[in-house]
Amino acid sequence: GVLIVALLLQSGALVQAAQAQTLAEPASAAADRVIYDNALAAGWADWSWDTTDNLAANAPVHSGAASVSVQFNKAWAGFYLHADPAVSLAGYTHLRFWLHGGATGGQRITIMANQNDAATVEVTATKDAWTQHDVVLADLGSPATLSDIFWQDATGGSQPVFYLDDISLVSGSGGGGGFPDPTADGSNQDGLDNPTAIAFAPSGRVFVAIWGN
């Protein structure tokens, strides 16, 4: 069981309420599985086509010392990472990566898994900025294993250089394997003036908030 304690401050008075209840313990999240972090993880190889890429670009980087620079030279070119053996996706929910549009930005990129072109996601790079993308694996066809990831031109033409970094498989869309997740688990339903509260949700999230009228 989990003991939930809320402390509310209102009009200078301290009101303490404690409620004990049995909550389902959150399932253990799979540890993030790195695909690229300064270099490709063991078992992964670069099988790109019609693309100029550099797996050790020194700027810009999101973290560490290197990122991947990618330039599509022809229509439908692709940055293609292949895993051998295929990676089990049990326990994982998202493909996470950071994307930087370089000095131009606006690159349109199709994300695909395992050559399944019936289930793809399109993303757009932001000029001079890193953006985190969490692609739901269900949107990529809910594969049981992952052997191929594609970042492919979505415009039918060449595109200027962009950058990728910190590519991984994660459980949940929050940080560190989905815990903690910044999404609020509740709201002030009572119209209280400036209460302070902390709550532990069944998901394992910790929610701390201050409201004011």
PDB file of all heavy atoms in Angstrom, residues 113-155:
ATOM      1  N   ALA A 113       9.790   2.061 -39.319  1.00  0.00           N
ATOM      2  CA  ALA A 113      10.453   0.919 -38.684  1.00  0.00           C
ATOM      3  C   ALA A 113      10.269  -0.332 -39.534  1.00  0.00           C
ATOM      4  O   ALA A 113       9.178  -0.580 -40.071  1.00  0.00           O
ATOM      5  CB  ALA A 113       9.885   0.676 -37.288  1.00  0.00           C
ATOM      6  N   ASN A 114      11.333  -1.098 -39.669  1.00  0.00           N
ATOM      7  CA  ASN A 114      11.264  -2.424 -40.292  1.00  0.00           C
ATOM      8  C   ASN A 114      10.655  -2.420 -41.693  1.00  0.00           C
ATOM      9  O   ASN A 114       9.963  -3.366 -42.079  1.00  0.00           O
ATOM     10  CB  ASN A 114      10.485  -3.396 -39.386  1.00  0.00           C
ATOM     11  CG  ASN A 114      11.151  -3.596 -38.043  1.00  0.00           C
ATOM     12  OD1 ASN A 114      12.312  -3.223 -37.845  1.00  0.00           O
ATOM     13  ND2 ASN A 114      10.433  -4.176 -37.101  1.00  0.00           N
ATOM     14  N   GLN A 115      10.867  -1.360 -42.446  1.00  0.00           N
ATOM     15  CA  GLN A 115      10.394  -1.250 -43.821  1.00  0.00           C
ATOM     16  C   GLN A 115       8.872  -1.338 -43.937  1.00  0.00           C
ATOM     17  O   GLN A 115       8.337  -1.688 -44.986  1.00  0.00           O
ATOM     18  CB  GLN A 115      11.061  -2.316 -44.708  1.00  0.00           C
ATOM     19  CG  GLN A 115      12.582  -2.241 -44.665  1.00  0.00           C
ATOM     20  CD  GLN A 115      13.262  -3.164 -45.635  1.00  0.00           C
ATOM     21  OE1 GLN A 115      12.864  -3.264 -46.794  1.00  0.00           O
ATOM     22  NE2 GLN A 115      14.308  -3.839 -45.188  1.00  0.00           N
ATOM     23  N   ASN A 116       8.183  -0.987 -42.843  1.00  0.00           N
ATOM     24  CA  ASN A 116       6.717  -0.994 -42.839  1.00  0.00           C
ATOM     25  C   ASN A 116       6.222   0.386 -43.255  1.00  0.00           C
ATOM     26  O   ASN A 116       5.991   1.258 -42.408  1.00  0.00           O
ATOM     27  CB  ASN A 116       6.196  -1.362 -41.450  1.00  0.00           C
ATOM     28  CG  ASN A 116       4.673  -1.381 -41.390  1.00  0.00           C
ATOM     29  OD1 ASN A 116       3.996  -1.246 -42.414  1.00  0.00           O
ATOM     30  ND2 ASN A 116       4.128  -1.548 -40.196  1.00  0.00           N
ATOM     31  N   ASP A 117       6.042   0.590 -44.575  1.00  0.00           N
ATOM     32  CA  ASP A 117       5.642   1.916 -45.050  1.00  0.00           C
ATOM     33  C   ASP A 117       4.146   2.174 -44.894  1.00  0.00           C
ATOM     34  O   ASP A 117       3.650   3.232 -45.290  1.00  0.00           O
ATOM     35  CB  ASP A 117       6.066   2.119 -46.505  1.00  0.00           C
ATOM     36  CG  ASP A 117       5.467   1.096 -47.463  1.00  0.00           C
ATOM     37  OD1 ASP A 117       4.613   0.292 -47.032  1.00  0.00           O
ATOM     38  OD2 ASP A 117       5.860   1.085 -48.652  1.00  0.00           O
ATOM     39  N   ALA A 118       3.431   1.232 -44.269  1.00  0.00           N
ATOM     40  CA  ALA A 118       2.014   1.452 -43.978  1.00  0.00           C
ATOM     41  C   ALA A 118       1.816   2.140 -42.635  1.00  0.00           C
ATOM     42  O   ALA A 118       0.695   2.535 -42.296  1.00  0.00           O
ATOM     43  CB  ALA A 118       1.261   0.126 -43.994  1.00  0.00           C
ATOM     44  N   ALA A 119       2.888   2.288 -41.859  1.00  0.00           N
ATOM     45  CA  ALA A 119       2.792   2.915 -40.532  1.00  0.00           C
ATOM     46  C   ALA A 119       4.016   3.796 -40.338  1.00  0.00           C
ATOM     47  O   ALA A 119       5.078   3.323 -39.936  1.00  0.00           O
ATOM     48  CB  ALA A 119       2.712   1.855 -39.434  1.00  0.00           C
ATOM     49  N   THR A 120       3.858   5.077 -40.653  1.00  0.00           N
ATOM     50  CA  THR A 120       4.982   6.014 -40.573  1.00  0.00           C
ATOM     51  C   THR A 120       4.563   7.269 -39.813  1.00  0.00           C
ATOM     52  O   THR A 120       3.374   7.545 -39.640  1.00  0.00           O
ATOM     53  CB  THR A 120       5.478   6.412 -41.968  1.00  0.00           C
ATOM     54  OG1 THR A 120       4.430   7.097 -42.671  1.00  0.00           O
ATOM     55  CG2 THR A 120       5.909   5.189 -42.773  1.00  0.00           C
ATOM     56  N   VAL A 121       5.551   8.025 -39.388  1.00  0.00           N
ATOM     57  CA  VAL A 121       5.332   9.298 -38.691  1.00  0.00           C
ATOM     58  C   VAL A 121       6.231  10.336 -39.346  1.00  0.00           C
ATOM     59  O   VAL A 121       7.399  10.066 -39.624  1.00  0.00           O
ATOM     60  CB  VAL A 121       5.672   9.181 -37.189  1.00  0.00           C
ATOM     61  CG1 VAL A 121       5.617  10.557 -36.511  1.00  0.00           C
ATOM     62  CG2 VAL A 121       4.729   8.200 -36.503  1.00  0.00           C
ATOM     63  N   GLU A 122       5.693  11.532 -39.613  1.00  0.00           N
ATOM     64  CA  GLU A 122       6.505  12.602 -40.191  1.00  0.00           C
ATOM     65  C   GLU A 122       6.835  13.645 -39.133  1.00  0.00           C
ATOM     66  O   GLU A 122       5.964  14.027 -38.336  1.00  0.00           O
ATOM     67  CB  GLU A 122       5.782  13.268 -41.356  1.00  0.00           C
ATOM     68  CG  GLU A 122       6.630  14.331 -42.060  1.00  0.00           C
ATOM     69  CD  GLU A 122       5.983  14.910 -43.310  1.00  0.00           C
ATOM     70  OE1 GLU A 122       5.454  14.127 -44.126  1.00  0.00           O
ATOM     71  OE2 GLU A 122       5.989  16.151 -43.454  1.00  0.00           O
ATOM     72  N   VAL A 123       8.087  14.096 -39.125  1.00  0.00           N
ATOM     73  CA  VAL A 123       8.527  15.148 -38.210  1.00  0.00           C
ATOM     74  C   VAL A 123       9.181  16.259 -39.029  1.00  0.00           C
ATOM     75  O   VAL A 123       9.604  16.041 -40.171  1.00  0.00           O
ATOM     76  CB  VAL A 123       9.519  14.618 -37.153  1.00  0.00           C
ATOM     77  CG1 VAL A 123       8.863  13.564 -36.280  1.00  0.00           C
ATOM     78  CG2 VAL A 123      10.781  14.070 -37.801  1.00  0.00           C
ATOM     79  N   THR A 124       9.252  17.445 -38.448  1.00  0.00           N
ATOM     80  CA  THR A 124       9.879  18.597 -39.100  1.00  0.00           C
ATOM     81  C   THR A 124      10.951  19.157 -38.189  1.00  0.00           C
ATOM     82  O   THR A 124      10.723  19.366 -36.989  1.00  0.00           O
ATOM     83  CB  THR A 124       8.835  19.681 -39.415  1.00  0.00           C
ATOM     84  OG1 THR A 124       7.820  19.127 -40.259  1.00  0.00           O
ATOM     85  CG2 THR A 124       9.491  20.865 -40.124  1.00  0.00           C
ATOM     86  N   ALA A 125      12.131  19.408 -38.760  1.00  0.00           N
ATOM     87  CA  ALA A 125      13.250  19.922 -37.980  1.00  0.00           C
ATOM     88  C   ALA A 125      13.098  21.427 -37.750  1.00  0.00           C
ATOM     89  O   ALA A 125      12.573  22.152 -38.599  1.00  0.00           O
ATOM     90  CB  ALA A 125      14.566  19.633 -38.697  1.00  0.00           C
ATOM     91  N   THR A 126      13.575  21.888 -36.606  1.00  0.00           N
ATOM     92  CA  THR A 126      13.522  23.296 -36.230  1.00  0.00           C
ATOM     93  C   THR A 126      14.873  23.960 -36.474  1.00  0.00           C
ATOM     94  O   THR A 126      15.923  23.405 -36.111  1.00  0.00           O
ATOM     95  CB  THR A 126      13.141  23.436 -34.742  1.00  0.00           C
ATOM     96  OG1 THR A 126      11.881  22.810 -34.519  1.00  0.00           O
ATOM     97  CG2 THR A 126      13.053  24.907 -34.339  1.00  0.00           C
ATOM     98  N   LYS A 127      14.854  25.117 -37.058  1.00  0.00           N
ATOM     99  CA  LYS A 127      16.076  25.853 -37.352  1.00  0.00           C
ATOM    100  C   LYS A 127      16.843  26.189 -36.077  1.00  0.00           C
ATOM    101  O   LYS A 127      16.272  26.707 -35.111  1.00  0.00           O
ATOM    102  CB  LYS A 127      15.743  27.141 -38.114  1.00  0.00           C
ATOM    103  CG  LYS A 127      16.938  28.025 -38.434  1.00  0.00           C
ATOM    104  CD  LYS A 127      16.498  29.290 -39.155  1.00  0.00           C
ATOM    105  CE  LYS A 127      17.676  30.223 -39.421  1.00  0.00           C
ATOM    106  NZ  LYS A 127      17.251  31.474 -40.108  1.00  0.00           N
ATOM    107  N   ASP A 128      18.140  25.892 -36.066  1.00  0.00           N
ATOM    108  CA  ASP A 128      19.063  26.285 -34.996  1.00  0.00           C
ATOM    109  C   ASP A 128      18.602  25.875 -33.601  1.00  0.00           C
ATOM    110  O   ASP A 128      18.889  26.559 -32.615  1.00  0.00           O
ATOM    111  CB  ASP A 128      19.286  27.808 -35.017  1.00  0.00           C
ATOM    112  CG  ASP A 128      20.090  28.257 -36.226  1.00  0.00           C
ATOM    113  OD1 ASP A 128      20.928  27.479 -36.709  1.00  0.00           O
ATOM    114  OD2 ASP A 128      19.873  29.397 -36.692  1.00  0.00           O
ATOM    115  N   ALA A 129      17.900  24.753 -33.491  1.00  0.00           N
ATOM    116  CA  ALA A 129      17.417  24.332 -32.169  1.00  0.00           C
ATOM    117  C   ALA A 129      17.258  22.822 -32.124  1.00  0.00           C
ATOM    118  O   ALA A 129      16.874  22.191 -33.110  1.00  0.00           O
ATOM    119  CB  ALA A 129      16.092  25.009 -31.835  1.00  0.00           C
ATOM    120  N   TRP A 130      17.546  22.256 -30.950  1.00  0.00           N
ATOM    121  CA  TRP A 130      17.303  20.837 -30.705  1.00  0.00           C
ATOM    122  C   TRP A 130      15.868  20.650 -30.222  1.00  0.00           C
ATOM    123  O   TRP A 130      15.386  21.398 -29.365  1.00  0.00           O
ATOM    124  CB  TRP A 130      18.254  20.299 -29.648  1.00  0.00           C
ATOM    125  CG  TRP A 130      19.663  20.118 -30.112  1.00  0.00           C
ATOM    126  CD1 TRP A 130      20.739  20.918 -29.849  1.00  0.00           C
ATOM    127  CD2 TRP A 130      20.156  19.055 -30.944  1.00  0.00           C
ATOM    128  NE1 TRP A 130      21.874  20.423 -30.459  1.00  0.00           N
ATOM    129  CE2 TRP A 130      21.547  19.273 -31.137  1.00  0.00           C
ATOM    130  CE3 TRP A 130      19.560  17.941 -31.538  1.00  0.00           C
ATOM    131  CZ2 TRP A 130      22.340  18.428 -31.888  1.00  0.00           C
ATOM    132  CZ3 TRP A 130      20.356  17.089 -32.294  1.00  0.00           C
ATOM    133  CH2 TRP A 130      21.722  17.333 -32.468  1.00  0.00           C
ATOM    134  N   THR A 131      15.192  19.642 -30.767  1.00  0.00           N
ATOM    135  CA  THR A 131      13.835  19.311 -30.351  1.00  0.00           C
ATOM    136  C   THR A 131      13.759  17.822 -30.069  1.00  0.00           C
ATOM    137  O   THR A 131      14.229  17.006 -30.865  1.00  0.00           O
ATOM    138  CB  THR A 131      12.815  19.660 -31.442  1.00  0.00           C
ATOM    139  OG1 THR A 131      12.939  21.041 -31.782  1.00  0.00           O
ATOM    140  CG2 THR A 131      11.388  19.398 -30.961  1.00  0.00           C
ATOM    141  N   GLN A 132      13.176  17.466 -28.931  1.00  0.00           N
ATOM    142  CA  GLN A 132      12.997  16.053 -28.594  1.00  0.00           C
ATOM    143  C   GLN A 132      11.765  15.515 -29.306  1.00  0.00           C
ATOM    144  O   GLN A 132      10.699  16.132 -29.291  1.00  0.00           O
ATOM    145  CB  GLN A 132      12.835  15.874 -27.087  1.00  0.00           C
ATOM    146  CG  GLN A 132      12.578  14.426 -26.660  1.00  0.00           C
ATOM    147  CD  GLN A 132      12.449  14.282 -25.167  1.00  0.00           C
ATOM    148  OE1 GLN A 132      13.279  14.762 -24.407  1.00  0.00           O
ATOM    149  NE2 GLN A 132      11.391  13.614 -24.732  1.00  0.00           N
ATOM    150  N   HIS A 133      11.902  14.347 -29.918  1.00  0.00           N
ATOM    151  CA  HIS A 133      10.779  13.664 -30.559  1.00  0.00           C
ATOM    152  C   HIS A 133      10.618  12.294 -29.932  1.00  0.00           C
ATOM    153  O   HIS A 133      11.573  11.506 -29.892  1.00  0.00           O
ATOM    154  CB  HIS A 133      11.009  13.530 -32.068  1.00  0.00           C
ATOM    155  CG  HIS A 133      10.995  14.843 -32.788  1.00  0.00           C
ATOM    156  ND1 HIS A 133       9.849  15.387 -33.325  1.00  0.00           N
ATOM    157  CD2 HIS A 133      11.986  15.734 -33.035  1.00  0.00           C
ATOM    158  CE1 HIS A 133      10.133  16.557 -33.889  1.00  0.00           C
ATOM    159  NE2 HIS A 133      11.424  16.780 -33.719  1.00  0.00           N
ATOM    160  N   ASP A 134       9.429  12.001 -29.432  1.00  0.00           N
ATOM    161  CA  ASP A 134       9.084  10.691 -28.901  1.00  0.00           C
ATOM    162  C   ASP A 134       8.050  10.073 -29.840  1.00  0.00           C
ATOM    163  O   ASP A 134       6.882  10.460 -29.828  1.00  0.00           O
ATOM    164  CB  ASP A 134       8.501  10.807 -27.492  1.00  0.00           C
ATOM    165  CG  ASP A 134       9.564  11.055 -26.443  1.00  0.00           C
ATOM    166  OD1 ASP A 134      10.756  11.099 -26.781  1.00  0.00           O
ATOM    167  OD2 ASP A 134       9.200  11.217 -25.273  1.00  0.00           O
ATOM    168  N   VAL A 135       8.479   9.134 -30.650  1.00  0.00           N
ATOM    169  CA  VAL A 135       7.597   8.499 -31.627  1.00  0.00           C
ATOM    170  C   VAL A 135       7.013   7.246 -30.990  1.00  0.00           C
ATOM    171  O   VAL A 135       7.741   6.340 -30.576  1.00  0.00           O
ATOM    172  CB  VAL A 135       8.366   8.139 -32.915  1.00  0.00           C
ATOM    173  CG1 VAL A 135       7.447   7.440 -33.899  1.00  0.00           C
ATOM    174  CG2 VAL A 135       8.966   9.393 -33.542  1.00  0.00           C
ATOM    175  N   VAL A 136       5.691   7.189 -30.911  1.00  0.00           N
ATOM    176  CA  VAL A 136       5.009   6.050 -30.303  1.00  0.00           C
ATOM    177  C   VAL A 136       5.194   4.824 -31.198  1.00  0.00           C
ATOM    178  O   VAL A 136       4.904   4.873 -32.398  1.00  0.00           O
ATOM    179  CB  VAL A 136       3.510   6.357 -30.108  1.00  0.00           C
ATOM    180  CG1 VAL A 136       2.802   5.170 -29.450  1.00  0.00           C
ATOM    181  CG2 VAL A 136       3.327   7.614 -29.268  1.00  0.00           C
ATOM    182  N   LEU A 137       5.682   3.741 -30.625  1.00  0.00           N
ATOM    183  CA  LEU A 137       5.923   2.547 -31.428  1.00  0.00           C
ATOM    184  C   LEU A 137       4.645   1.997 -32.046  1.00  0.00           C
ATOM    185  O   LEU A 137       4.672   1.401 -33.132  1.00  0.00           O
ATOM    186  CB  LEU A 137       6.613   1.482 -30.573  1.00  0.00           C
ATOM    187  CG  LEU A 137       8.027   1.837 -30.110  1.00  0.00           C
ATOM    188  CD1 LEU A 137       8.585   0.747 -29.193  1.00  0.00           C
ATOM    189  CD2 LEU A 137       8.959   2.059 -31.295  1.00  0.00           C
ATOM    190  N   ALA A 138       3.520   2.222 -31.393  1.00  0.00           N
ATOM    191  CA  ALA A 138       2.245   1.791 -31.974  1.00  0.00           C
ATOM    192  C   ALA A 138       1.973   2.506 -33.293  1.00  0.00           C
ATOM    193  O   ALA A 138       1.338   1.949 -34.195  1.00  0.00           O
ATOM    194  CB  ALA A 138       1.107   2.040 -30.989  1.00  0.00           C
ATOM    195  N   ASP A 139       2.453   3.746 -33.417  1.00  0.00           N
ATOM    196  CA  ASP A 139       2.271   4.488 -34.659  1.00  0.00           C
ATOM    197  C   ASP A 139       3.183   3.981 -35.771  1.00  0.00           C
ATOM    198  O   ASP A 139       3.022   4.354 -36.935  1.00  0.00           O
ATOM    199  CB  ASP A 139       2.524   5.979 -34.434  1.00  0.00           C
ATOM    200  CG  ASP A 139       1.475   6.621 -33.547  1.00  0.00           C
ATOM    201  OD1 ASP A 139       0.382   6.041 -33.399  1.00  0.00           O
ATOM    202  OD2 ASP A 139       1.748   7.704 -32.982  1.00  0.00           O
ATOM    203  N   LEU A 140       4.153   3.149 -35.395  1.00  0.00           N
ATOM    204  CA  LEU A 140       5.057   2.540 -36.377  1.00  0.00           C
ATOM    205  C   LEU A 140       4.689   1.082 -36.629  1.00  0.00           C
ATOM    206  O   LEU A 140       5.509   0.296 -37.116  1.00  0.00           O
ATOM    207  CB  LEU A 140       6.506   2.647 -35.898  1.00  0.00           C
ATOM    208  CG  LEU A 140       7.049   4.069 -35.699  1.00  0.00           C
ATOM    209  CD1 LEU A 140       8.475   4.028 -35.180  1.00  0.00           C
ATOM    210  CD2 LEU A 140       6.984   4.870 -37.003  1.00  0.00           C
ATOM    211  N   GLY A 141       3.453   0.721 -36.289  1.00  0.00           N
ATOM    212  CA  GLY A 141       2.965  -0.623 -36.567  1.00  0.00           C
ATOM    213  C   GLY A 141       3.083  -1.601 -35.416  1.00  0.00           C
ATOM    214  O   GLY A 141       2.865  -2.794 -35.601  1.00  0.00           O
ATOM    215  N   SER A 142       3.439  -1.122 -34.219  1.00  0.00           N
ATOM    216  CA  SER A 142       3.579  -1.976 -33.027  1.00  0.00           C
ATOM    217  C   SER A 142       4.465  -3.194 -33.277  1.00  0.00           C
ATOM    218  O   SER A 142       4.080  -4.337 -33.013  1.00  0.00           O
ATOM    219  CB  SER A 142       2.198  -2.432 -32.541  1.00  0.00           C
ATOM    220  OG  SER A 142       1.394  -1.344 -32.183  1.00  0.00           O
ATOM    221  N   PRO A 143       5.681  -2.994 -33.782  1.00  0.00           N
ATOM    222  CA  PRO A 143       6.544  -4.151 -34.041  1.00  0.00           C
ATOM    223  C   PRO A 143       6.973  -4.835 -32.746  1.00  0.00           C
ATOM    224  O   PRO A 143       7.149  -4.190 -31.720  1.00  0.00           O
ATOM    225  CB  PRO A 143       7.744  -3.536 -34.764  1.00  0.00           C
ATOM    226  CG  PRO A 143       7.784  -2.113 -34.285  1.00  0.00           C
ATOM    227  CD  PRO A 143       6.356  -1.710 -34.108  1.00  0.00           C
ATOM    228  N   ALA A 144       7.131  -6.160 -32.806  1.00  0.00           N
ATOM    229  CA  ALA A 144       7.609  -6.908 -31.642  1.00  0.00           C
ATOM    230  C   ALA A 144       9.116  -6.801 -31.506  1.00  0.00           C
ATOM    231  O   ALA A 144       9.656  -6.885 -30.397  1.00  0.00           O
ATOM    232  CB  ALA A 144       7.196  -8.372 -31.764  1.00  0.00           C
ATOM    233  N   THR A 145       9.804  -6.637 -32.631  1.00  0.00           N
ATOM    234  CA  THR A 145      11.250  -6.464 -32.641  1.00  0.00           C
ATOM    235  C   THR A 145      11.589  -5.319 -33.582  1.00  0.00           C
ATOM    236  O   THR A 145      10.777  -4.902 -34.411  1.00  0.00           O
ATOM    237  CB  THR A 145      11.982  -7.741 -33.106  1.00  0.00           C
ATOM    238  OG1 THR A 145      11.580  -8.039 -34.456  1.00  0.00           O
ATOM    239  CG2 THR A 145      11.670  -8.917 -32.199  1.00  0.00           C
ATOM    240  N   LEU A 146      12.808  -4.819 -33.455  1.00  0.00           N
ATOM    241  CA  LEU A 146      13.254  -3.703 -34.287  1.00  0.00           C
ATOM    242  C   LEU A 146      14.593  -4.058 -34.924  1.00  0.00           C
ATOM    243  O   LEU A 146      15.582  -4.275 -34.224  1.00  0.00           O
ATOM    244  CB  LEU A 146      13.395  -2.436 -33.440  1.00  0.00           C
ATOM    245  CG  LEU A 146      13.773  -1.151 -34.187  1.00  0.00           C
ATOM    246  CD1 LEU A 146      12.671  -0.741 -35.153  1.00  0.00           C
ATOM    247  CD2 LEU A 146      14.045  -0.026 -33.198  1.00  0.00           C
ATOM    248  N   SER A 147      14.593  -4.115 -36.251  1.00  0.00           N
ATOM    249  CA  SER A 147      15.842  -4.364 -36.972  1.00  0.00           C
ATOM    250  C   SER A 147      16.234  -3.185 -37.852  1.00  0.00           C
ATOM    251  O   SER A 147      17.404  -3.074 -38.232  1.00  0.00           O
ATOM    252  CB  SER A 147      15.725  -5.624 -37.837  1.00  0.00           C
ATOM    253  OG  SER A 147      14.650  -5.504 -38.754  1.00  0.00           O
ATOM    254  N   ASP A 148      15.273  -2.319 -38.164  1.00  0.00           N
ATOM    255  CA  ASP A 148      15.539  -1.223 -39.091  1.00  0.00           C
ATOM    256  C   ASP A 148      14.816   0.043 -38.649  1.00  0.00           C
ATOM    257  O   ASP A 148      13.625   0.001 -38.320  1.00  0.00           O
ATOM    258  CB  ASP A 148      15.062  -1.575 -40.502  1.00  0.00           C
ATOM    259  CG  ASP A 148      15.612  -2.896 -40.996  1.00  0.00           C
ATOM    260  OD1 ASP A 148      16.807  -2.928 -41.344  1.00  0.00           O
ATOM    261  OD2 ASP A 148      14.864  -3.893 -41.011  1.00  0.00           O
ATOM    262  N   ILE A 149      15.541   1.157 -38.649  1.00  0.00           N
ATOM    263  CA  ILE A 149      14.935   2.476 -38.418  1.00  0.00           C
ATOM    264  C   ILE A 149      15.340   3.374 -39.580  1.00  0.00           C
ATOM    265  O   ILE A 149      16.516   3.451 -39.947  1.00  0.00           O
ATOM    266  CB  ILE A 149      15.414   3.134 -37.111  1.00  0.00           C
ATOM    267  CG1 ILE A 149      15.370   2.160 -35.937  1.00  0.00           C
ATOM    268  CG2 ILE A 149      14.563   4.369 -36.804  1.00  0.00           C
ATOM    269  CD1 ILE A 149      15.982   2.734 -34.670  1.00  0.00           C
ATOM    270  N   PHE A 150      14.353   4.066 -40.138  1.00  0.00           N
ATOM    271  CA  PHE A 150      14.593   4.956 -41.271  1.00  0.00           C
ATOM    272  C   PHE A 150      14.186   6.384 -40.915  1.00  0.00           C
ATOM    273  O   PHE A 150      13.102   6.601 -40.365  1.00  0.00           O
ATOM    274  CB  PHE A 150      13.771   4.528 -42.487  1.00  0.00           C
ATOM    275  CG  PHE A 150      14.033   3.137 -42.971  1.00  0.00           C
ATOM    276  CD1 PHE A 150      13.394   2.051 -42.391  1.00  0.00           C
ATOM    277  CD2 PHE A 150      14.914   2.905 -44.020  1.00  0.00           C
ATOM    278  CE1 PHE A 150      13.628   0.755 -42.839  1.00  0.00           C
ATOM    279  CE2 PHE A 150      15.152   1.620 -44.487  1.00  0.00           C
ATOM    280  CZ  PHE A 150      14.504   0.535 -43.893  1.00  0.00           C
ATOM    281  N   TRP A 151      15.055   7.328 -41.255  1.00  0.00           N
ATOM    282  CA  TRP A 151      14.701   8.743 -41.317  1.00  0.00           C
ATOM    283  C   TRP A 151      14.803   9.087 -42.812  1.00  0.00           C
ATOM    284  O   TRP A 151      15.905   9.218 -43.355  1.00  0.00           O
ATOM    285  CB  TRP A 151      15.662   9.595 -40.510  1.00  0.00           C
ATOM    286  CG  TRP A 151      15.545   9.480 -39.020  1.00  0.00           C
ATOM    287  CD1 TRP A 151      14.905  10.340 -38.174  1.00  0.00           C
ATOM    288  CD2 TRP A 151      16.116   8.468 -38.168  1.00  0.00           C
ATOM    289  NE1 TRP A 151      15.037   9.923 -36.872  1.00  0.00           N
ATOM    290  CE2 TRP A 151      15.777   8.777 -36.840  1.00  0.00           C
ATOM    291  CE3 TRP A 151      16.895   7.320 -38.420  1.00  0.00           C
ATOM    292  CZ2 TRP A 151      16.168   7.995 -35.762  1.00  0.00           C
ATOM    293  CZ3 TRP A 151      17.279   6.540 -37.349  1.00  0.00           C
ATOM    294  CH2 TRP A 151      16.922   6.872 -36.033  1.00  0.00           C
ATOM    295  N   GLN A 152      13.670   9.211 -43.489  1.00  0.00           N
ATOM    296  CA  GLN A 152      13.673   9.316 -44.945  1.00  0.00           C
ATOM    297  C   GLN A 152      13.109  10.658 -45.415  1.00  0.00           C
ATOM    298  O   GLN A 152      12.198  11.220 -44.796  1.00  0.00           O
ATOM    299  CB  GLN A 152      12.841   8.181 -45.556  1.00  0.00           C
ATOM    300  CG  GLN A 152      12.906   8.117 -47.072  1.00  0.00           C
ATOM    301  CD  GLN A 152      12.192   6.903 -47.641  1.00  0.00           C
ATOM    302  OE1 GLN A 152      11.444   6.220 -46.944  1.00  0.00           O
ATOM    303  NE2 GLN A 152      12.405   6.627 -48.910  1.00  0.00           N
ATOM    304  N   ASP A 153      13.681  11.152 -46.521  1.00  0.00           N
ATOM    305  CA  ASP A 153      13.170  12.374 -47.137  1.00  0.00           C
ATOM    306  C   ASP A 153      11.671  12.244 -47.390  1.00  0.00           C
ATOM    307  O   ASP A 153      11.204  11.236 -47.919  1.00  0.00           O
ATOM    308  CB  ASP A 153      13.894  12.623 -48.462  1.00  0.00           C
ATOM    309  CG  ASP A 153      13.152  13.630 -49.326  1.00  0.00           C
ATOM    310  OD1 ASP A 153      12.959  14.767 -48.865  1.00  0.00           O
ATOM    311  OD2 ASP A 153      12.740  13.245 -50.437  1.00  0.00           O
ATOM    312  N   ALA A 154      10.920  13.275 -47.014  1.00  0.00           N
ATOM    313  CA  ALA A 154       9.463  13.265 -47.203  1.00  0.00           C
ATOM    314  C   ALA A 154       9.015  14.269 -48.253  1.00  0.00           C
ATOM    315  O   ALA A 154       7.819  14.477 -48.429  1.00  0.00           O
ATOM    316  CB  ALA A 154       8.761  13.552 -45.872  1.00  0.00           C
ATOM    317  N   THR A 155       9.968  14.877 -48.971  1.00  0.00           N
ATOM    318  CA  THR A 155       9.599  15.958 -49.899  1.00  0.00           C
ATOM    319  C   THR A 155       9.715  15.567 -51.356  1.00  0.00           C
ATOM    320  O   THR A 155       9.202  16.274 -52.223  1.00  0.00           O
ATOM    321  CB  THR A 155      10.510  17.183 -49.668  1.00  0.00           C
ATOM    322  OG1 THR A 155      11.853  16.867 -50.071  1.00  0.00           O
ATOM    323  CG2 THR A 155      10.495  17.605 -48.207  1.00  0.00           C
TER     324      THR A 155
END
